[in-house]
Amino acid sequence: EDQVTQSPEALRLQEGESSSLNCSYTVSGLRGLFWYRQDPGKGPEFLFTLYSAGEEKEKERLKATLTKKESFLHITAPKPEDSATYLCAVSFVTSGSRLTFGEGTQLTVNP
Amino acid sequence: NAGVTQTPKFQVLKTGQSMTLQCAQDMNHNSMYWYRQDPGMGLRLIYYSASEGTTDKGEVPNGYNVSRLNKREFSLRLESAAPSQTSVYFCASSTRFRDEQFFGPGTRLTVL
């Protein structure tokens, strides 16, 4: 069964303290890996798509990377406004365009 | 562009009542999806429509029906609501060329 696992479940950082979130998936044919940000009471907001190992995408303080078994979302010098739940999702060759989501990492950045 | 819109934003039902959640997108996307989000369970796919005129079951379809009314609109119907259907429901859409999905703001449903 295709699975997506995110760690840690929750992460507290001080403003400016860089860290990384992890998303691992069962290796059964990756079509694409997606990162989303979700604020409380809102729908997920699309951030990045990664298609192949070695690929990297950047947006402001966020950088997403992909290997054959996992993806990292690196947060450099975070600010309180980066506090949110970050979701990882994967589309597998066996499931077409359907996405399988991880349970998310709840990030809190304290000033 | 409004993107993906959902109505209503909030709804309270009694057990056994029925209702339809509405979703529309103005991005000319071919595929549309319905998810539910529960604490500790993540986002789970209920039904999806790869293109106008087609619908398929997702991971948790029991107790739900869907209608792809046209290319823009995809509705989710609860025929006889149960407390286990208390959740936040999200609609999403995507093009047929790329898999990233774009989400609506959600409907918060409580079944008493």
Side-chain angles (χ1 to χ4, degrees):
Chain A
E1 181 182 329
D2 298 324
Q3 287 191 323
V4 179
T5 304
Q6 291 189 245
S7 62
E9 288 185 16
L11 181 62
R12 282 187 176 274
L13 299 173
Q14 288 299 121
E15 185 172 2
E17 179 187 3
S18 301
S19 187
S20 297
L21 313 182
N22 177 263
C23 172
S24 62
Y25 54 93
T26 53
V27 185
S28 63
L30 180 77
R31 272 174 58 124
L33 186 140
F34 311 89
W35 283 99
Y36 288 84
R37 170 190 171 127
Q38 187 174 23
D39 292 300
K42 303 281 183 66
E45 174 190 349
F46 171 71
L47 292 173
F48 303 111
T49 302
L50 300 166
Y51 284 112
S52 55
E55 190 175 358
E56 299 182 351
K57 294 277 180 70
E58 283 190 71
K59 179 180 179 180
E60 295 181 356
R61 294 176 293 282
L62 301 177
K63 179 180 177 180
T65 62
L66 181 64
T67 71
K68 287 187 178 180
K69 292 189 294 186
E70 59 191 348
S71 176
F72 292 93
L73 184 65
H74 306 278
I75 304 175
T76 302
K79 298 182 177 182
E81 53 261 43
D82 294 322
S83 297
T85 296
Y86 291 86
L87 302 173
C88 171
V90 174
S91 58
F92 294 101
V93 169
T94 53
S95 58
S97 63
R98 288 176 291 167
L99 300 185
T100 300
F101 280 84
E103 292 186 29
T105 294
Q106 186 174 1
L107 174 67
T108 303
V109 182
N110 296 313
Chain B
N1 284 356
V4 180
T5 57
Q6 294 182 237
T7 55
K9 286 186 169 47
F10 301 92
Q11 184 70 50
V12 178
L13 293 178
K14 294 181 179 178
T15 297
Q17 288 185 317
S18 62
M19 79 161 295
T20 300
L21 281 64
Q22 305 287 354
C23 173
Q25 52 89 12
D26 63 1
M27 297 177 284
N28 200 34
H29 285 172
N30 289 84
S31 302
M32 297 185 74
Y33 310 82
W34 276 105
Y35 292 88
R36 59 178 290 172
Q37 187 174 40
D38 304 289
M41 302 291 287
L43 278 159
R44 293 181 292 169
L45 183 65
I46 305 171
Y47 270 94
Y48 67 104
S49 171
S51 61
E52 188 178 354
T54 68
T55 60
D56 284 289
K57 295 179 180 179
E59 183 184 353
V60 288
N62 291 346
Y64 305 96
N65 285 300
V66 291
S67 295
R68 183 75 183 266
L69 304 170
N70 47 56
K71 189 172 184 179
R72 290 186 63 249
E73 298 172 289
F74 188 38
S75 62
L76 179 72
R77 182 159 178 85
L78 287 69
E79 290 290 351
S80 179
S84 61
Q85 294 177 306
T86 293
S87 187
V88 182
Y89 292 85
F90 290 102
C91 178
S93 68
S94 66
T95 74
R96 59 188 172 97
F97 303 111
R98 298 176 66 85
D99 292 345
E100 56 260 16
Q101 296 176 13
F102 297 88
F103 284 79
T107 294
R108 283 141 191 84
L109 175 67
T110 301
V111 183
L112 302 175

